Amino acid sequence: MRQKLYYFFLLVVVFSYAQNPDRIYKDSAFQDESFLIINVNDGTYWIKAYSKEIIETTFVPLGEELDLKSHAVVLKPEYTGVKHSSDDEKVYFKTQGISVTINKKPFQISYSYKGKSIISEKEGYVKNDSLETIKFNLKSDEVLYGGGARALGMNRRGNRLQLYNKAHYGYETRSELMNYTLPIVLSSNQYMLHFDNAPIGFLDLDSKKDNTLSYETISGRKTYQVIVGNTWLDIIKNYTSLTGKQPLLPRWALGNFASRFGYHSQREVEATIAKFKEEEIPVDAVILDLYWFGKDIKGTMGNLEVHKDSFPDFKGMTSRLKQQGVKTIAITEPFVLTTSKRWEEAVSKDVLAKDSIGNPYRYDFYFGNTGLIDIYNPKGKSWFQNIYREMSSIGIDGVWGDLGEPEVHPSNLLHVRGTADEVHNIYGHDWARLVQEYYEKDFPNKRPFILMRAGAAGSQRFGMIPWSGDVNRTWGGLQSQPEIAIQMGMQGLAYMHSDLGGFAGANLDDELYVRWLQYGVFQPIYRPHAQEEVPAEPVYRASKAKMLAKKAIELRYKLLPYNYTLAFHNSQTGALLMRPLLFEEANNKELYTNANTYLWGDDFLVTPITKQGVKTIEIYFPKTSNWFDFYTDKKVTGGQTKTIKTKENSIPTYIRGGAFLVMAKPMQSTNEYNGNTFNLHYYFDTSIKESKRELYNDDGKTRNAFQKGKYELITFEAETKKKYLELECNTQLGSEYSASTKNINVVIHNFSKKPKYIERNGKKLPFEYNTLSKTLMFKIIWNTSKELETKIRF
């Protein structure tokens, strides 16, 4: 009796995890050393490997054809290290890492990595009255991330997420629907699912609490990729290899921005920048909102040409700003109002999306009666690119694409490529592509700056810089920002950032403003921006707020070499700039939902202050390192939670033991950056026997400088031996880059005693040692054509 119950239990388990019970396996075939084709009674599965850690599965129902077009994927499926076999019960498709097992009866597709089960289809593809669905089995303990930009808490399991890019004005601690809704799921069990389809739908992360993950869509491809890796960073690297790496931004984009909604006149713009210069607050760019082409908010959108009354010498203005090291960025939108100067032109040149009988589709929204540029129509694409050509001719150096969800996008509007609902979620993505392609053609050596409010999976490869929308100017608004930025970085868009200080609402709270700008030092883009009722620029704030903001901005500029190297590594590997602590301790379940503290690159541990009046804060210090207070050098042993007193002039910031940190000299603009003169900090920790870091440098502006050989990559190494600490510097010079002489001020932190001597190439160097701070300081002049070796005798 016990044995019968056991077999009954097994039968129940098998069928509860089986796919559609009406799906019947027929046969399978292995094609071109990479494709596994599985024929079933109601269609065909196409399974292929992109690498040993990426596998794609597509279901093609009977009566449909295989669609190989993807808006997201750029990697070619050329991997051939696949083994295929079958027996009476199963079919196997294996790489050296990820494997697919197809159970014939009952039909079941499951995935494993290096022998460990990761996920399986539950019902596979099913079509009902309105949606096409793919369901998967989840383990009960999995924490789920993804779904794009949302404010839901780090664990997004339990939510049914709409996939429809939509702005949420004035959100705070919770926002279920925002500008970037990505059909991506990541699991705490270290795998990723990407549903490779554009039309709108839903991503259900076990909302019914039955251990089910569902992707639901109105139409399109029934395709997904399973992505794995040995570490979290490996998974992100694999995903961004699949969908494209973010090009390295221009160096100035890592500086401070002057921005608000908005500057009404040329006089106002130049007066603001003059104020920055007067206060000696660094600034690299000014952003112009919609007043650059119209005096009023409503009725002028679509003009997209300079409003001469307000900006009588626009080209002269941009030229004068550029001489001061300040770039000009201007807003554009995809809407052409019927009241705008370009409406008749847009109609006559056939650049607008259509209604069902072929006329320009007109409708009302907040800004007026409008049409929408059809960027999928070659005429619309070319017309829009000509707008950007005109903008470049008057000195505009960066593009801001706003309202690109699109903000209002009626379902019955028709694009050349399909219905509004079919392209809605990729409109911003393809808009960024349009801008990138324009720059590639007209400015092939220039790195573009493309700020966009909406995008899709893979948008990072067009150089898109996303931001988190119209967040409320409240403490609640600030609290959601680390989560949003970290989650988006995990989904490939590592430059997600917020309007520093908050955007929506006339809330004049200097403490909030300062804390947000202090957090901004350690987020990807430093851009205060707000509605004009309360100034976003520090130069117009109260003296104390201005002073504290200036201090934060100056630190941002000192960290330019570190940040630029982070940007370089992101362009090569997809590595996040902001990283959750779970990346540091992948098996520590207590960190799976922690966004309060995060890593900025490899070596900074940062805890933003996101609540008013906080005097102390609890911080977990990962056990993988010891950590040093960035401001006091006080050492904290890793693997513990400590209560830390907060300070008014900074947020809690720690450096990993064994880290090298290159810091720049003070500057008022990145134009002044000198990569040949810097401070090199080493955080000495006796527990670290060997340490290695990189510093990347180029001219900061040439497109694909690394690929063209126009770069230097410096390696710093430290090795602790019995009698001395040895420091080495080596340089990898690109084929088109010359060796240079570096003037380096070296600072060794946590050096317990004054050394006997410091030696370089047999010659002793002068040094200073501070007994109280336990810091050792000396200077080096180094020609990068040779290796540099320095020994510090204990």
Side-chain angles (χ1 to χ4, degrees), residues 159-231:
N159 292 283
R160 184 171 185 255
L161 305 176
Q162 187 178 1
L163 298 172
Y164 188 88
N165 292 352
K166 187 173 179 61
H168 182 172
Y169 177 84
Y171 72 91
E172 295 187 355
T173 56
R174 185 167 182 87
S175 180
E176 297 182 12
L177 189 61
M178 292 174 64
N179 311 73
Y180 290 82
T181 62
L182 308 181
I184 295 172
V185 183
L186 299 97
S187 166
S188 57
N189 288 349
Q190 288 190 250
Y191 66 85
M192 175 189 281
L193 277 177
H194 168 236
F195 296 96
D196 191 0
N197 190 39
I200 65 173
F202 294 89
L203 192 61
D204 192 319
L205 306 181
D206 196 28
S207 67
K208 296 179 180 177
K209 302 191 185 319
D210 60 354
N211 296 326
T212 302
L213 163 66
S214 302
Y215 171 67
E216 307 164 52
T217 182
I218 60 168
S219 64
R221 306 177 79 216
K222 277 63 77 173
T223 298
Y224 63 89
Q225 292 95 25
V226 181
I227 304 157
V228 293
N230 289 327
T231 67

Side-chain angles (χ1 to χ4, degrees), residues 347 350-362 372 374 377 379 412-416:
V347 172
D350 191 26
V351 305
L352 300 171
K354 301 292 200 311
D355 61 21
S356 60
I357 59 174
N359 295 320
Y361 194 110
R362 294 172 51 168
L372 178 67
D374 189 356
N377 181 344
K379 296 176 184 177
N412 56 347
L413 176 148
L414 300 176
H415 293 272
V416 164

